[in-house]
Amino acid sequence: MSLLHAVIIFPLLSALCSPYLQRMTIRIHTGWFMLPVPMLIFAYVMGKLQLVQEGDPIQASIPWIASLGISFTVYLDGLSMLFALLISGIGFLVVLYSIYYLDRNKEAVGTFYAYLMLFMGAMLGVVLSDNMIVLYGFWELTSISSFLLIAFWFKREKSKYGALKSMLITVFGGLAMLGGFVLLYVMTGTFSIREIIGNVSAITEHALFVPAMLLVLLGAFTKSAQFPFHIWLPDAMEAPTPVSAYLHSATMVKAGLYLVARLSPVFAGAAGWFWLVSAVGILTLIYGSYRAMKQTDLKAMLAFSTISQLGLIMSLFGLGSAASVYAGSTESLFYVKATMAGIFHMINHAVFKGALFMVVGIVDHETGTRDIRRLGGLMSVMPVTFSIALVGAFSMAGLPPFNGFLSKEMFFTAALNIMEMDVLRMDVFGILFPVIAWVASIFTFIYSMVLVFRTFTGPKTFDKLEKKPHEAPIGMLLPPLVLGSLAVVFGLFPNLVAYTLIEPALAAIHPSVLLPGQQFDASIHFWHGWTTEIFMTIGVICAGTVLYRLHRRVKLLHQPLFSAVSLNRTYDGGISFLNLGSKRITDCYMTGSIRHYLIYIFMFLIISVAVTMGRVSGIRFDFAGFAPMSLYEAVVIFALTVSVIAVPFARTRMMAVILTGTAGYMVTLFFVIFRAPDLALTQMIVETVSVTLFLLCFYHLPKLKKEAETLRFRLPNLIIALGVGMIMTLVALAANSSRSFESISDFFVKESYNLAGGKNIVNVILVDFRGFDTMLEIVVLGIASYGIYALIRLNLDGDEKSATAPGYWESGSKLPINGIRSNDVILRTISKAVIFIILTFSLYLFFSGHHEPGGGFIGGLMMAAAFVLLAMAFGIRTVREVVPVDFRKVSAFGILIALLTGIGSFWFDAPFLSHTFGYHDLPLLGHSELATAMLFDLGVYLTIVGITMTIILAIGRDK
Amino acid sequence: MELYMSLAIGVLFTVGVYLVLSKSLLRIILGTSLLTHGVHLLLLTMSRLKTGAAPLLGQKADAYVDPLPQALILTSIVISFGVTSFFFVLAYKAYQNLGTDNMEQLKGDDDE
């Protein structure tokens, strides 16, 4: 953990606090608490300026998932620093601006700042992370926070639409980028960007190099709103204006540019990279500026303008990658100028576009509209706002003496330089770049003029507005004022940033183009003499002024060219197609019928097991060595088979239940035959209690109707049932015939007495070796019993009658147990004695369970059986009087004992549920074994009694 | 013996699955309990039958039958008792409140 890590974590922590701060402080705007966050980060990063400038980057690492090569490594070099300063600097101004923009009484400002700080932390994470997986995580976090901020006014339909659109497109790109990162990892074996850059010569010839490049670029293009993925950005303007200024113009959309710059050392030498980045960039530039010219909404105009400016920077980074093509020669420095122009323009764009967004926010805030057809003449009432807008727009148009002029000149230089390239077919296509750049600059000039003059000059139309316009408060004016001043300062003194920010960033983007002893020439000059660039600028101003005059009259300049085909329609159509299509497909198999789902499950079982058996070698069917069968056993098998087959043919409920019960008792007999005394005991008691249970429910249960279904319904059922039966027979035979590994059972047989001091191996496994399983099992049973209790006692319909069960109970009914009149004298007489015998037997089973058949499960069930007999003979009321305990508490107490036994082993530094045993001389009993497993078994015993009785009593009491 | 047991297990599974696939809740409950029996016998048969004495060390036998499946089955018997009881109550409560035990009618509408 270093201070650099804290830079990322600090905003994230303040995001957590923000909603509470709003609730606790009613009088103070939450924004004031958030203001120090970006300020401190800005100050910290500024403090490192000297270090980074001297080529001494800061790095720190926190190990995370070492086995996957993932660590939280942060790295501050020239490029990261430039972005970190942009994020924190603009962030500070935006927070200040938003304090006046968002009314703390009307808006959920606490949530707003939580999202904003989340974004700030995530964005800092993107630019400071060295590990690509961490970078990806932060990258998606920026998409998510952007989604949340666009949908801040979530009651508006358009906000939700815009938020979803931006989310889908950027997350799609993010996933593609993740794919690219993984491919890079496959090629290099590391997720660290610096290590990949150091190892770049090894991967350029790799087959995965081009796919990785394409995937990474997809991520960058979607995030930076490059054509044709730009469609999300105009809709993102539904966000509050501070958000648009911050995320959708100054920082988040530049994450794509950051990625391109950061990975330039890896990919820049490739022809595909050069062509894609510069061509997509220049296409986006001309398209965005052309569309911006036609907007009537000020924010939409700025959105398209942002798209076009992002394209400009993107194309500059593409052109700059030519330097890597000429790496190692003197020519490379010639092309580095494009990258330099890109970095410089990125700073400038953040400055003037931030100011313009804030100005538009002020206009919107003070007049209630952003439509230029309704605005006009605001100059007289908003002089300060107008001045800032003028500076911003002139800078955007590339007019001297503002900063935009300088970077636009440098852009022209780069575009002209590229014509000199003689490789990558640039000798043919090179001429396109300066031409497109020039035309796009004219468009930019036009919309910049429209933006400022349509809004602030011309006839006053205040009567059409909802509010009476007046100048904004000082707090709202201050941030754009700062940015506007910076536009002038950077314009007049460009070398303020040239050496401090641009040069270190250049060094990070082009680490290998410098020859020894060479240095980047980062100085920027205002005047170069009468060069081609200056004539181009003059041409732009002349043509732009003429066209601006014609703007209102010529349809081509202010109306959409075509409306039939558009990317937005493609997106909308695609989304609804996907929605409808997936719903149709899902409806095909998710029918809501449990029978269908069961069919899928059984089909899957049949197919998967059959295929596995067919493919795995070593499965054989060997009937030798099977146990012999006596006549008696044959009779039991026959009885079982017949009773089971008869179940579906049973005409009455009673018959079906008796047949199932018969099957159950036959299974009990098998347990006896196969030497499983514990199982036989358990099965017998369970079967008995189940029959009782059924009798209790009997009158509530629906009558068994004859299966009136068609053959079409029954035949598939039958086929599937036969399939499952056959597969299971084969599984049983195969398991018997072939052993592919040694059984672990020998361990239990050998160690049962030595380690656990018990002779009944089954019981030892249950309470000692696999005690945790048993523990969880009784918890599950407890939940089932409470579920039953709740089903019966709680009234789902709110019907008063069935909710009064306790009252009915207390009054003492003549009917002791539902449907059964206990007037049988013989039963009553005998059961008095039998109950005590059963109870004693139950205790015996419990105590001897460690060595002889028995134990907690069987003993508990046996005790419950005694109570069931009592209930049948004398009525449930008698049970309550004789055993006045709450059985729900008994089961809870049992689970508690089991749990405490388990926890007790912590005292002796042993793992959960470790048992011990010893032999002691006890009074009365003599030399006896005492084992902690007994205590655990007691818990099981009590739980089983409690659960069974809860179930029986709950059902028996129900009307 | 194993061969015939395997066939009996097949019958238990066939009838169990057939009942579970029917529309009546009662049949489904009975089907699950037959399936449970099938699974228990399958587990037991898998460990080979009659290979020794019951797994009680007090018997001092040379060989014992496999205790592990028995422990698994014991757990399963008790669990399936709980599940069957829950199922029973669910079925009759549903029948009481809704007046049907037909699964097709119980599945509800799309708008719910």
Side-chain angles (χ1 to χ4, degrees):
Chain A
M1 183 80 185
S2 66
L3 265 176
L4 205 51
H5 284 104
V7 162
I8 301 171
I9 293 163
F10 185 34
L12 298 179
L13 285 180
S14 48
L16 282 179
C17 306
S18 168
Y20 300 101
L21 280 173
Q22 192 204 0
R23 234 168 286 162
M24 286 188 310
T25 53
I26 303 160
R27 283 161 183 275
I28 309 167
H29 199 287
T30 318
W32 292 114
F33 296 106
M34 295 298 143
L35 209 51
V37 177
M39 200 166 74
L40 287 173
I41 294 172
F42 188 81
Y44 170 77
V45 180
M46 268 308 219
K48 300 290 169 194
L49 199 67
Q50 188 76 25
L51 267 178
V52 173
Q53 210 180 342
E54 287 163 6
D56 195 8
I58 304 162
Q59 68 173 81
S61 187
I62 299 177
W64 187 15
I65 314 173
S67 58
L68 295 176
I70 298 170
S71 60
F72 187 10
T73 308
V74 285
Y75 186 71
L76 186 76
D77 64 354
L79 187 63
S80 304
M81 194 175 68
L82 171 65
F83 273 90
L85 287 177
L86 273 183
I87 296 161
S88 52
I90 306 272
F92 173 77
L93 295 175
V94 162
V95 171
L96 180 64
Y97 179 80
S98 66
I99 293 172
Y100 293 91
Y101 189 83
L102 289 173
D103 189 334
R104 74 182 147 83
N105 296 317
K106 289 182 196 153
E107 313 279 2
V109 286
T111 334
F112 176 80
Y113 288 109
Y115 298 160
L116 203 70
M117 290 296 136
L118 177 72
F119 167 76
M120 194 182 285
M123 191 66 206
L124 285 166
V126 167
V127 300
L128 292 176
S129 296
D130 176 59
N131 193 290
M132 290 191 296
I133 295 295
V134 180
L135 190 153
Y136 168 74
F138 283 124
W139 181 281
E140 296 294 38
L141 203 56
T142 61
S143 294
I144 292 167
S145 50
S146 157
F147 169 85
L148 292 168
L149 283 167
I150 297 171
F152 180 66
W153 287 313
F154 54 85
K155 286 191 178 130
R156 297 184 192 169
E157 209 50 52
K158 282 176 100 178
S159 295
K160 284 189 279 185
Y161 173 79
L164 187 66
K165 197 176 190 177
S166 78
M167 176 90 156
L168 284 176
I169 293 175
T170 51
V171 168
F172 155 75
L175 278 176
M177 185 184 81
L178 177 66
F181 286 172
V182 171
L183 290 185
L184 280 174
Y185 177 76
V186 169
M187 287 187 279
T188 59
T190 174
F191 279 121
S192 160
I193 295 174
R194 266 172 310 134
E195 283 172 29
I196 291 174
I197 291 172
N199 199 14
V200 71
S201 55
I203 63 168
T204 42
E205 297 302 318
H206 202 286
L208 293 175
F209 182 74
V210 174
M213 181 180 86
L214 293 178
L215 287 171
V216 166
L217 279 182
L218 206 52
F221 288 165
T222 47
K223 198 77 165 178
S224 282
Q226 297 296 295
F227 185 87
F229 305 111
H230 66 276
I231 51 170
W232 68 266
L233 194 57
D235 286 304
M237 292 299 136
E238 291 302 321
T241 300
V243 173
S244 309
Y246 191 34
L247 271 73
H248 304 126
S249 136
T251 55
M252 189 186 86
V253 286
K254 295 201 167 101
L257 298 172
Y258 170 79
L259 189 73
V260 167
R262 177 54 83 201
L263 292 178
S264 270
V266 180
F267 293 114
W273 178 270
F274 171 81
W275 266 111
L276 265 173
V277 177
S278 38
V280 168
I282 201 105
L283 191 63
T284 310
L285 163 67
I286 182 110
Y287 179 81
S289 57
Y290 174 71
R291 289 290 303 274
M293 196 171 63
K294 303 192 169 191
Q295 304 301 318
T296 50
D297 181 353
L298 284 175
K299 259 181 111 174
M301 188 182 276
L302 286 181
F304 276 106
S305 153
T306 304
I307 292 169
S308 107
Q309 302 280 319
L310 290 170
L312 190 156
I313 303 167
M314 190 65 88
S315 73
L316 279 171
F317 283 165
L319 297 177
S321 75
S324 294
V325 177
Y326 290 100
S329 65
T330 43
E331 277 171 306
S332 70
L333 275 188
F334 182 62
Y335 296 104
V336 164
K337 279 184 183 152
T339 314
M340 194 173 108
I343 299 167
F344 188 40
H345 195 69
M346 196 153 63
I347 302 169
N348 295 340
H349 177 248
V351 168
F352 68 67
K353 192 56 69 66
L356 284 174
F357 262 110
M358 289 176 184
V359 162
V360 167
I362 290 171
V363 170
D364 190 10
H365 205 257
E366 303 302 330
T367 66
T369 183
R370 302 191 305 245
D371 194 333
I372 49 170
R373 288 168 300 191
R374 294 174 61 194
L375 290 167
L378 287 174
M379 187 169 68
S380 56
V381 285
M382 303 167 104
V384 184
T385 315
F386 167 69
S387 318
I388 302 165
L390 200 69
V391 171
F394 276 21
S395 176
M396 182 157 75
L399 298 177
F402 306 109
N403 57 359
F405 166 72
L406 295 172
S407 46
K408 180 147 294 186
E409 292 286 285
M410 287 160 75
F411 171 50
F412 285 156
T413 313
L416 290 168
N417 281 354
I418 215 68
M419 292 188 347
E420 313 223 340
M421 239 176 117
D422 48 6
V423 290
L424 303 177
R425 301 185 62 80
M426 279 319 282
D427 43 348
V428 185
F429 296 104
I431 183 72
L432 283 175
F433 282 93
V435 171
I436 297 175
W438 190 70
V439 175
S441 297
I442 296 174
F443 292 154
T444 309
F445 182 86
I446 297 171
Y447 72 69
S448 301
M449 296 307 121
V450 170
L451 180 81
V452 61
F453 291 117
R454 281 283 175 83
T455 315
F456 290 98
T457 61
K460 290 179 187 169
T461 51
F462 298 162
D463 44 331
K464 283 194 228 160
L465 302 172
E466 289 153 25
K467 296 178 183 174
K468 189 167 163 30
H470 51 79
E471 189 60 278
I474 181 71
M476 219 166 170
L477 283 174
L478 199 61
L481 206 57
V482 170
L483 289 172
S485 321
L486 281 178
V488 182
V489 172
F490 289 167
L492 295 176
F493 311 102
N495 291 332
L496 271 181
V497 289
Y499 295 108
T500 50
L501 292 176
I502 299 177
E503 203 185 316
L506 267 183
I509 301 174
H510 294 295
S512 58
V513 296
L514 282 186
L515 294 172
Q518 261 186 342
Q519 215 182 347
F520 288 114
D521 177 22
S523 63
I524 300 165
H525 303 289
F526 206 89
W527 179 246
H528 296 271
W530 294 103
T531 53
T532 323
E533 292 90 326
I534 200 76
F535 287 116
M536 281 171 86
T537 304
I538 293 168
V540 165
I541 295 170
C542 298
T545 315
V546 172
L547 287 172
Y548 170 67
R549 293 271 163 214
L550 297 171
H551 185 256
R552 247 187 263 222
R553 271 162 255 156
V554 182
K555 253 189 170 182
L556 191 69
L557 292 176
H558 70 261
Q559 279 195 350
L561 198 52
F562 10 62
S563 51
V565 192
S566 85
L567 286 163
N568 273 318
R569 278 178 202 221
T570 319
Y571 166 84
D572 293 339
I575 291 292
S576 63
F577 171 77
L578 283 176
N579 274 338
L580 272 178
S582 56
K583 181 169 165 22
R584 271 193 206 139
I585 292 170
T586 312
D587 283 351
C588 283
Y589 61 93
M590 297 299 283
T591 53
S593 157
I594 291 176
R595 181 173 159 261
H596 289 159
Y597 302 157
L598 284 171
I599 288 176
Y600 305 148
I601 293 171
F602 288 131
M603 290 296 279
F604 182 77
L605 175 84
I606 296 171
I607 291 166
S608 60
V609 176
V611 168
T612 312
M613 285 179 111
R615 296 190 55 166
V616 175
S617 57
I619 289 184
R620 54 202 171 82
F621 299 102
D622 180 10
F623 296 169
F626 278 2
M629 185 165 70
S630 67
L631 181 67
Y632 168 66
E633 290 158 2
V635 170
V636 178
I637 288 187
F638 182 74
L640 174 71
T641 316
V642 168
S643 62
V644 167
I645 291 176
V647 175
F649 299 100
R651 292 286 171 88
T652 59
R653 293 177 287 186
M654 195 53 116
M655 196 62 201
V657 170
I658 289 173
L659 286 168
T660 316
T662 313
Y665 283 113
M666 291 302 130
V667 171
T668 314
L669 284 179
F670 277 124
F671 290 151
V672 175
I673 295 169
F674 299 140
R675 282 142 210 179
D678 292 272
L679 295 189
L681 276 167
T682 318
Q683 181 75 46
M684 195 162 68
I685 309 165
V686 161
E687 211 57 50
T688 312
V689 176
S690 299
V691 170
T692 321
L693 199 73
F694 180 77
L695 291 175
L696 289 172
C697 303
F698 192 79
Y699 283 96
H700 300 302
L701 280 174
K703 288 222 165 59
L704 198 61
K705 290 185 211 96
K706 190 169 180 299
E707 221 180 344
E709 302 303 335
T710 54
L711 195 65
R712 258 188 74 193
F713 178 84
R714 283 192 297 182
L715 197 63
N717 291 1
L718 189 65
I719 293 171
I720 290 167
L722 280 172
V724 174
M726 265 155 56
I727 280 288
M728 281 305 150
T729 305
L730 289 177
V731 167
L733 286 174
N736 266 306
S737 310
S738 40
R739 280 264 146 111
S740 28
F741 45 84
E742 273 307 298
S743 166
I744 57 166
S745 306
D746 295 336
F747 167 80
F748 297 120
V749 176
K750 244 183 259 166
E751 304 296 343
S752 169
Y753 192 70
N754 298 337
L755 290 179
K759 290 180 183 162
N760 180 355
I761 308 173
V762 175
N763 182 264
V764 168
I765 293 176
L766 284 177
V767 298
D768 197 328
F769 289 131
R770 310 286 308 155
F772 204 21
D773 290 357
T774 311
M775 162 101 222
L776 293 178
E777 187 202 346
I778 56 176
V779 172
V780 170
L781 280 170
I783 293 168
S785 77
Y786 289 149
I788 290 170
Y789 183 79
L791 266 179
I792 287 174
R793 287 296 294 277
L794 300 179
N795 196 353
L796 298 172
D797 295 341
D799 181 8
E800 276 300 309
K801 268 195 294 179
S802 51
T804 52
Y808 154 82
W809 167 245
E810 295 309 331
S811 67
S813 166
K814 286 269 160 58
L815 271 178
I817 191 164
N818 261 340
I820 303 169
R821 276 185 188 277
S822 53
N823 54 1
D824 193 326
V825 180
I826 303 174
L827 177 69
R828 286 188 171 208
T829 319
I830 295 177
S831 54
K832 273 180 194 165
V834 171
I835 284 165
F836 284 103
I837 298 173
I838 299 178
L839 282 178
T840 319
F841 187 47
S842 153
L843 288 175
Y844 166 76
L845 281 175
F846 167 65
F847 282 113
S848 68
H850 215 43
H851 298 296
E852 301 296 327
F857 276 116
I858 302 168
L861 283 168
M862 194 60 99
M863 182 146 175
F867 290 139
V868 169
L869 183 61
L870 188 70
M872 287 177 84
F874 298 98
I876 284 188
R877 196 169 177 201
T878 321
V879 179
R880 281 281 291 228
E881 280 165 6
V882 175
V883 199
V885 289
D886 185 345
F887 284 105
R888 277 172 294 139
K889 284 183 184 151
V890 172
S891 54
F893 188 59
I895 293 175
L896 192 67
I897 291 181
L899 194 65
L900 287 176
T901 317
I903 291 170
S905 41
F906 292 147
W907 272 21
F908 304 96
D909 277 340
F912 186 65
L913 271 175
S914 302
H915 290 303
T916 183
F917 63 97
Y919 298 91
H920 303 279
D921 283 317
L922 296 177
L924 278 176
L925 292 170
H927 191 71
S928 315
E929 182 195 349
L930 284 180
T932 52
M934 277 299 264
L935 209 56
F936 180 73
D937 218 10
L938 178 68
V940 175
Y941 182 88
L942 289 176
T943 315
I944 295 294
V945 174
I947 286 163
T948 317
M949 290 316 292
T950 307
I951 294 172
I952 301 273
L953 290 181
I955 295 173
R957 222 189 281 167
D958 193 32
K959 287 198 277 189
Chain B
M1 186 82 209
E2 277 89 342
L3 176 63
Y4 299 103
M5 281 312 292
S6 305
L7 290 173
I9 290 163
V11 171
L12 275 169
F13 268 97
T14 307
V15 176
V17 169
Y18 183 76
L19 289 175
V20 164
L21 288 177
S22 64
K23 285 180 184 171
S24 145
L25 254 178
L26 186 60
R27 281 178 204 273
I28 292 175
I29 298 173
L30 296 178
T32 53
S33 92
L34 288 183
L35 273 179
T36 317
H37 291 324
V39 171
H40 294 166
L41 289 181
L42 178 65
L43 281 175
L44 204 59
T45 311
M46 272 180 160
S47 68
R48 313 226 52 167
L49 300 169
K50 303 194 217 170
T51 50
L56 302 166
L57 294 172
Q59 303 227 342
K60 302 223 183 337
D62 292 336
Y64 299 98
V65 295
D66 197 340
L68 191 59
Q70 297 198 10
L72 294 178
I73 294 168
L74 197 112
T75 316
S76 163
I77 293 173
V78 184
I79 282 275
S80 70
F81 166 67
V83 172
T84 311
S85 327
F86 186 77
F87 214 167
F88 257 129
V89 173
L90 198 63
Y92 94 69
K93 273 287 166 185
Y95 184 63
Q96 258 181 359
N97 287 321
L98 305 168
T100 178
D101 77 323
N102 188 326
M103 289 305 288
E104 294 298 308
Q105 289 167 1
L106 284 174
K107 84 177 180 186
D109 301 329
D110 286 341
D111 358 308
E112 272 182 88

